[in-house]
């Protein structure tokens, strides 16, 4: 066997070395054996965090290390029970952190698997579509424009084949490929004209190649091995929250130091004060925020997959809430991508005769199923329409004049006898269909009927329909020249066809408008047709006409400044080529807009990359378009984009809820520990109690908020500005005053219990603080609507988390063996009622805040609402 590199050997030698017939490909069984032998065709990626990494993350936190050190000190001075309890709670916290991290990684892995590209290969002589990971050495790979090359290939055929190799070589100009060997062992990748390498893009033509290297053995696999490292899956929002956590940690360290010094000045035990200060710092810093954000985004993306929207890049979920314009293709996205008869006119009302002509004068064939029809889409539509009324078999065809671009019509000649007597028939009938201006002059029409037919044709055309005239002529004999038949015909009627809007398109567009999002149609179709569809689905206003449509020629005549001046008012673009889409996106972005752009072709990729959210077609799109996009529509449906925006808004709202809830809870704990000593009260909480509150209130209830369903008004708000802080619209003030309120009612409970002479006063403040935070978790579920009415049971996960947390708190209060650990004392019925009453002040106050917001008296949050 020769050791020559693959680019230097002939096609025959390459096939021999691989043991494959290029005309047949591998047998499926042999492909399976090679896959099992060599492993999947995947290149090394920046992998997700492993269990070991997640465990190390939990113990690397400075606050955790400080608390561990404090626990050791506590053990050395003889307080072994506290040391053990603190370590147990830290282990539980670490376990929760690891579980959160694993859930996030598993969700991300599932998304990566869903978005894997596919390849077309020959298996047993039949073209077969497989995941690119299943391509094996020796596979015969079929390439076409728009495909991503799945492996390193020795090309066998290349018909006008060009490949963009920028992903590998950095060369921006596509390279023309051939099949001749390139001799030499040190030939640069860019000069190997008979090779196509994994990860490059086919820009034009078609080709066939033998897979000579897969996975890590490919050129791009070797490059990938050099850059393996940790996969940074952090979104911009996560980075902002991580920065917030750092700043909060600095502030909390200062507060903890003040609490520590104040305790020492009051004569408290230094070890207890050290544990208290560090516990307070740990409890106040929202370490779970990045994990919760990842889980929320990843689980939200999984929900979108079930709704036929595959999110390929996690930050896209976050960006969806800011989309201001959705620039959508017409065909297949707003329409059904299936022509249908929309209007029919007959001079005499004889629809049976028209149906007979449509069945006869067509080359299309209807199959058994609705999607089994074969032939030109227009003829299939005519045949489907005619099949509803036509009776009996089609007449035997004995001659035809096929449609051509010059005549713009088609004629077929039929025997008037039965299907079995075509040879003996002595009478014939001719049917014709074509453009009205081509066919109607060949029909015998009186002046009134001609005017009426012309008017009907113009009306249909103005409505964006493709209009066909249908005619008939009876004959006594077979003509020598069929062109003689095209005259003296009888007009049977006019048929208007249209690719009809999807049934759900109008509702989706209306929902866009209600959400403050501008739907824009961009199509290569005729301006009149584009405007007609746009008007039907609500993209264009009814009082506008096709002259308001911007065409590709208009775009060519406008410079960038002129386009930017018009882009905010434009709703329909027609006769636009894919290269002009990127100008539209840039013009919108120059005006401060956030644009989602759909596309399916190779030439759409630049616009998809430029857009804030690139949306590729999953059913009819190319691999290159999908690779350039942030989201893939698995059903090519405009309504799916709108559904994804709704889900994106819900996810962002839930992240805001979690931030609002957890920071308010932390603020409440800080106020209790900070104000208590300043008011002359003893230390309100023990270190272990602080850690317990942090564990049970930030854990299950906080995570359950991520499952909160969308508010009814979520799509009646304008888009969120992308630069808007997560603390905008009153969140900062809410955290401040509700945190102070939680601290206040907790200290009020402490003061009441001390006045009553209760020895378990610390258990009272401990319980009030937990119950107040749980009440807040229920109230914070909506920013404007009451949480204790119809919405109360809409999040069973949160209700279950609250009930479980209350049960855990009662166990700590009443179970003797836990009382010893947490130094609690059982509450009397009267004390428990007081605790519950004080805690309910918090959700009641939050509901009052929401009532003021609804009336427009507080914050500006709901001023963003539109459409009610």
């Amino acid at each position: 066997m020769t050791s020559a590199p693959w680019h230097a050997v002939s096609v025959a030698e390459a096939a021999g070395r691989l043991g494959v017939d290029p005309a047949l490909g591998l047998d499926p069984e042999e492909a399976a054996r090679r896959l099992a032998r060599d492993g999947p065709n995947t290149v090394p990626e920046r992998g997700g965090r492993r269990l070991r990494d997640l465990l190390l993350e939990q113990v690397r936190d400075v606050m955790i290390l400080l608390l561990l050190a404090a626990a050791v000190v506590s053990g050395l001075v003889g307080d072994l029970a506290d040391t053990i309890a603190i370590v147990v709670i830290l282990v539980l916290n670490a376990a929760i952190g690891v579980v959160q991290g694993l859930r996030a990684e598993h969700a991300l892995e599932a998304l990566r698997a869903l978005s894997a590209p596919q390849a077309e290969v020959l298996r047993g002589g039949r073209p077969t579509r497989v995941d690119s990971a299943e391509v094996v050495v020796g596979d015969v790979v079929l390439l076409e424009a728009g495909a991503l090359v799945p492996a390193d290939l020795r090309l066998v055929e290349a018909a006008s084949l060009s490949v963009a190799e920028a992903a590998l070589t950095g060369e921006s100009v596509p390279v023309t490929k051939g099949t001749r060997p390139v001799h030499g062992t040190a030939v640069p990748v860019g000069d190997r004209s008979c090779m196509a390498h994994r990860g490059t893009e086919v820009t034009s033509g078609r080709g066939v190649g033998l897979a000579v290297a897969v996975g890590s053995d490919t050129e791009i696999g070797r490059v990938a091995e050099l850059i393996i490292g940790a996969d940074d899956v952090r979104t911009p929002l996560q980075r902002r929250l991580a920065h917030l956590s750092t700043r909060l940690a600095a502030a909390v360290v200062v507060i903890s130091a003040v609490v520590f010094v104040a305790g020492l000045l009051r004569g408290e035990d230094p070890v207890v004060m050290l544990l208290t200060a560090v516990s307070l710092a740990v409890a106040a810093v929202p370490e779970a925020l990045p994990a919760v954000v990842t889980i929320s985004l990843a689980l939200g993306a999984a929900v979108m997959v079930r709704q036929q929207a595959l999110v390929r890049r996690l930050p896209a979920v976050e960006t969806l809430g800011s989309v201001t314009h959705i620039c959508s293709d017409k065909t297949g996205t707003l329409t059904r991508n299936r022509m249908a008869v929309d209007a029919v006119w007959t001079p005499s009302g004889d629809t049976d005769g028209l149906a007979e002509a449509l069945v006869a004068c067509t080359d299309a064939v209807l199959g058994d199923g609705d999607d089994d029809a074969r032939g030109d889409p227009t003829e299939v539509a005519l045949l489907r329409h005619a099949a509803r009324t036509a009776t009996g078999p089609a007449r035997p065809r004995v001659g035809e004049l096929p449609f051509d671009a010059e005549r713009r019509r088609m004629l077929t000649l039929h025997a008037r006898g039965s299907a079995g007597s075509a040879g003996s028939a002595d009478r014939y009938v001719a049917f014709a269909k074509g453009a009205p201006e081509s066919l109607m002059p060949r029909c015998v029409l009186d002046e009134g009927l001609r005017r009426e037919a012309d008017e009907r044709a113009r009306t249909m055309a103005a409505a964006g329909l493709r209009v066909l005239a249908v005619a008939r002529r009876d004959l006594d004999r077979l003509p020598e020249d069929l062109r003689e038949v095209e005259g003296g015909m009888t007009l049977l009627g006019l048929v208007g066809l249209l690719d009809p809007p999807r049934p759900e398109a109008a509702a989706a567009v209306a929902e866009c408008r209600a959400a403050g999002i501008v739907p824009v149609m961009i199509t290569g179709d005729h301006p009149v047709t584009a405007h007609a569809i746009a008007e039907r689905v609500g993209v264009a206003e009814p009082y506008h006409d096709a002259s308001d449509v911007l065409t590709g020629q208009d775009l060519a005549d406008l410079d960038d400044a002129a386009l930017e001046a018009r882009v905010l008012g434009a709703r329909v673009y027609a006769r636009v080529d894919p290269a002009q889409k990127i100008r539209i996106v840039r013009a919108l972005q120059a005006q401060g807009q956030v644009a989602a752009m759909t596309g399916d072709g190779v030439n759409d990729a630049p616009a998809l990359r430029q857009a804030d959210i690139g949306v590729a077609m999953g059913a009819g799109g190319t691999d290159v378009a999908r690779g350039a996009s942030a989201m893939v529509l698995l059903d090519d449906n405009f309504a799916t984009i709108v559904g994804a925006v709704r889900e994106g808004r819900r996810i962002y709202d839930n992240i805001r809820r979690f931030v609002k809830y957890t920071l308010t809870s932390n603020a409440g704990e800080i106020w209790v520990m900070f104000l208590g000593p300043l008011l002359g009260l003893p230390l309100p909480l023990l270190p272990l109690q602080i850690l317990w509150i942090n564990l049970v209130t930030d854990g299950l209830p906080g995570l359950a908020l991520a499952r909160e369903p969308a508010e009814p008004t979520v799509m009646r708000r304008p888009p969120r500005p992308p630069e808007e802080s997560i603390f905008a619209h009153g969140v900062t003030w809410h955290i401040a005053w509700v945190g102070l309120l939680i601290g206040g009612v907790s200290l009020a409970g402490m003061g009441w219990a001390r006045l009553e002479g209760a020895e378990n006063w610390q258990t009272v403040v401990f319980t009030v603080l937990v119950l107040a935070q749980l009440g807040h978790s229920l109230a914070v579920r909506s920013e404007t609507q009451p949480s204790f009415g119809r919405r109360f049971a809409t999040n069973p996960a949160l209700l279950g988390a609250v009930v479980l947390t209350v049960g855990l708190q009662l166990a700590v209060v009443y179970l003797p063996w836990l009382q010893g650990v947490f130094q609690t004392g059982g509450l009397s019925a009267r004390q428990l009622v007081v605790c519950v009453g004080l805690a309910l002040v918090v959700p009641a106050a939050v509901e009052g805040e929401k009532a003021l917001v609804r009336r427009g008296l507080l914050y500006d949050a709901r001023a963003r609402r539109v459409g009610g």
Side-chain angles (χ1 to χ4, degrees):
M1 181 178 293
T2 178
S3 60
W6 292 105
H7 62 264
V9 301
S10 66
V11 170
E13 185 176 348
R17 289 169 61 176
L18 296 169
V20 63
D21 182 348
L24 298 176
L26 296 173
D27 289 329
E29 294 80 7
E30 175 61 21
R33 281 193 293 271
R34 296 189 183 194
L35 182 62
R37 180 192 68 194
D38 300 332
N41 174 33
T42 55
V43 298
E45 295 182 357
R46 292 186 172 185
R49 296 170 296 173
R50 293 171 294 177
L51 179 60
R52 182 191 65 187
D53 301 324
L54 292 169
L55 285 170
L56 288 175
E57 283 182 16
Q58 309 309 312
V59 299
R60 274 200 296 252
D61 187 271
V62 175
M63 297 297 181
I64 300 297
L65 293 175
L66 280 174
L67 191 57
L68 283 171
V72 170
V73 171
S74 177
L76 291 176
V77 299
D79 195 353
L80 192 59
D82 267 6
T83 298
I84 294 173
I86 290 171
V87 170
V88 169
I89 288 184
L90 287 178
V91 170
L92 287 174
N93 261 320
I96 291 174
V98 169
V99 169
Q100 289 172 343
L102 288 175
R103 288 186 69 190
E105 291 302 319
H106 291 161
L108 292 173
E109 284 299 326
L111 292 176
R112 291 189 189 107
L114 282 170
S115 60
Q118 293 191 314
E120 191 169 14
V121 298
L122 275 182
R123 294 274 173 88
R126 299 181 60 183
T128 304
R129 200 153 187 84
V130 300
D131 287 342
S132 62
E134 298 176 10
V135 174
V136 299
V137 172
D139 258 328
V140 178
V141 180
L142 310 179
L143 301 175
E144 61 181 6
L148 287 176
V149 179
D152 283 2
L153 309 179
R154 173 60 171 94
L155 293 173
V156 175
E157 298 178 16
S160 303
L161 182 65
S162 294
V163 178
E165 297 184 330
L168 190 60
T169 66
E171 177 59 52
S172 59
V173 179
V175 178
T176 301
K177 295 293 183 176
T179 59
R180 290 176 177 269
V182 179
H183 298 290
T185 57
V187 178
V189 172
D191 293 336
R192 299 173 190 172
S193 59
C194 62
M195 299 286 294
H197 294 284
R198 180 191 171 103
T200 58
E201 306 168 359
V202 179
T203 57
S204 64
R206 59 179 180 80
V208 178
L210 300 174
V212 296
V214 297
S216 300
D217 295 331
T218 61
E219 292 295 330
I220 207 164
R222 296 188 186 101
V223 173
E225 287 183 331
L226 301 176
I227 57 174
I228 294 176
D231 188 9
D232 181 14
V233 296
R234 286 187 168 186
T235 69
L237 176 61
Q238 283 179 293
R239 290 194 292 271
R240 290 199 297 270
L241 292 177
H243 180 62
L244 166 70
S245 296
T246 303
R247 294 170 62 184
L248 279 177
V252 168
V253 166
V254 174
I255 294 172
S256 299
V258 171
V259 170
F260 176 71
V261 172
L264 292 182
L265 294 176
R266 288 166 50 86
E268 300 282 358
D269 183 349
V271 175
V272 172
M273 290 311 304
L274 176 61
L275 285 171
T276 300
V278 178
S279 299
L280 181 61
V282 171
V285 177
E287 304 96 340
L289 268 180
V292 169
V293 171
T294 299
I295 291 171
S296 298
L297 295 178
L299 294 182
V303 170
M304 290 183 191
V305 169
R306 294 195 292 271
Q307 298 171 354
Q308 302 300 303
L310 171 60
V311 176
R312 298 185 63 256
R313 298 170 190 162
L314 212 53
V317 179
E318 180 185 329
T319 311
L320 280 168
S322 300
V323 168
T324 62
H325 287 67
I326 298 178
C327 302
S328 172
D329 190 16
K330 174 183 74 70
T331 305
T333 308
L334 287 166
T335 66
R336 300 177 65 186
N337 195 20
R338 193 175 83 173
M339 295 293 289
V341 173
D342 189 75
V344 173
W345 173 81
T346 60
S348 62
D350 179 17
T351 56
D352 290 343
L354 179 66
E356 180 188 14
L358 292 177
V359 170
C361 191
T362 181
D363 292 327
V365 177
L366 293 181
D368 296 333
D370 197 42
D371 295 325
D372 293 337
R374 299 189 307 277
D376 179 79
T378 298
E379 290 198 336
V380 170
L382 295 173
L383 202 54
R384 283 196 176 106
H385 173 77
R388 300 177 191 140
T389 56
T391 58
R395 298 177 186 270
R397 184 183 297 187
V398 294
E400 65 179 302
L401 286 175
F403 177 89
D404 65 60
E406 289 186 10
R407 293 170 54 252
R408 301 183 63 194
R409 58 188 181 274
M410 171 184 181
L411 180 138
T412 57
L413 187 65
H414 305 265
R416 298 191 64 179
S418 66
S421 58
S424 61
D426 57 0
R427 293 179 63 82
Y428 302 91
V429 60
F431 295 109
K433 71 174 190 293
E437 60 271 26
S438 170
L439 186 57
M440 286 200 301
R442 289 162 177 77
C443 296
V444 178
L445 300 170
D446 60 49
E447 194 59 32
L449 184 57
R450 186 176 297 278
R451 281 198 303 269
E452 182 181 3
D454 286 339
E455 180 61 28
R456 293 282 185 170
R458 282 194 296 271
T459 301
M460 288 184 184
L465 305 182
R466 180 184 179 188
V467 186
L468 292 176
V470 183
R472 168 185 179 138
R473 181 177 176 184
D474 295 314
L475 302 168
D476 294 328
R477 60 179 180 81
L478 277 174
E480 294 182 5
D481 186 349
L482 281 182
R483 285 174 293 186
E484 298 175 6
V485 179
E486 293 186 315
M489 305 193 81
T490 300
L491 181 65
L492 296 176
L494 301 173
V495 179
L497 299 103
L498 189 72
D499 180 9
R502 287 178 177 264
E504 65 277 12
V509 168
E511 190 171 13
C512 264
R513 290 187 176 279
I517 301 170
V518 178
V520 177
M521 177 193 290
I522 303 177
T523 180
D525 215 333
H526 191 278
V528 173
T529 304
H531 181 267
I533 292 294
E535 187 174 332
R536 288 192 184 202
V537 300
V539 169
E541 302 294 343
Y543 52 82
H544 290 171
D545 57 38
S547 62
D548 294 311
V549 177
L550 275 179
T551 65
Q553 184 58 53
D554 295 330
L555 291 177
D557 294 338
L558 295 173
D559 60 21
D560 290 344
L563 178 57
E564 289 171 15
R566 296 191 61 179
V567 72
L568 293 183
R571 298 292 180 269
V572 183
Y573 298 84
R575 288 287 190 253
V576 172
D577 61 62
Q580 291 174 321
K581 284 187 175 184
I582 196 168
R583 287 195 65 205
I584 298 171
V585 172
R586 286 174 175 163
L588 286 169
Q589 291 171 333
Q591 294 292 330
Q593 305 301 303
V594 179
M597 171 68 74
T598 68
D600 56 6
V602 176
N603 291 335
D604 288 327
L608 294 176
R609 287 194 180 100
Q610 178 70 36
D612 299 279
I613 295 284
V615 183
M617 303 295 108
T622 61
D623 286 342
V624 173
R626 287 190 285 269
S629 67
M631 189 168 77
V632 178
L633 298 185
L634 303 180
D635 59 358
D636 295 5
N637 191 342
F638 180 84
T640 302
I641 307 176
V642 181
V645 171
R646 185 190 306 109
E647 182 66 17
R649 290 188 174 191
R650 183 192 72 85
I651 292 166
Y652 186 80
D653 284 351
N654 284 346
I655 292 172
R656 273 173 57 92
R657 289 184 183 104
F658 179 82
V659 169
K660 181 188 289 189
Y661 166 69
T662 191
L663 292 186
T664 303
S665 299
N666 295 351
E669 296 165 28
I670 292 172
W671 282 121
V672 166
M673 299 302 295
F674 185 69
L675 293 178
L678 292 182
L679 295 174
L681 297 171
L683 203 62
L685 296 170
L686 297 175
L688 199 56
Q689 293 169 346
I690 296 174
L691 293 176
W692 173 258
I693 294 171
N694 192 51
L695 176 68
V696 298
T697 61
D698 278 3
L700 294 175
L703 289 174
L705 282 172
R707 295 185 174 276
E708 188 67 26
E711 293 192 56
T713 59
V714 71
M715 291 299 281
R716 295 203 296 274
R717 303 196 307 252
R720 170 179 56 86
E723 70 281 358
E724 178 183 285
S725 167
I726 198 169
F727 298 100
H729 309 293
V731 173
T732 301
W733 286 107
H734 178 95
I735 292 170
W737 81 262
V738 178
L740 185 59
L741 179 62
I742 291 174
V745 298
S746 300
L747 291 175
M750 176 181 176
W752 170 80
R754 285 176 60 80
L755 287 175
E756 291 281 309
E759 295 184 359
N760 61 348
W761 59 265
Q762 204 165 49
T763 304
V764 171
V765 66
F766 181 32
T767 303
V768 171
L769 190 53
V770 170
L771 296 180
Q773 291 186 18
L774 294 179
H776 181 240
S777 73
L778 293 172
V780 82
R781 294 170 57 195
S782 171
E783 294 192 21
T784 59
Q785 301 303 311
S787 295
F788 296 94
R790 287 177 296 178
R791 288 182 58 85
F792 185 72
T794 56
N795 189 349
L798 179 59
L799 297 180
V802 168
V803 170
L804 177 59
T805 305
V806 169
L808 292 172
Q809 179 63 20
L810 293 177
V812 166
V813 171
Y814 289 107
L815 293 181
W817 64 278
L818 287 176
Q819 287 177 339
V821 174
F822 289 92
Q823 298 184 36
T824 56
L827 299 172
S828 67
R830 181 166 174 265
Q831 287 177 322
L832 187 58
V833 169
V834 171
C835 289
V836 172
L838 286 171
L840 289 176
V841 170
V842 174
V846 174
E847 291 299 324
E849 176 194 46
K850 290 191 283 188
L852 293 176
V853 172
R854 288 195 297 274
R855 290 172 172 80
L857 301 176
L858 195 63
Y859 312 141
D860 64 337
R862 295 315 108 199
R864 299 162 56 225
R865 184 175 165 185
V866 295

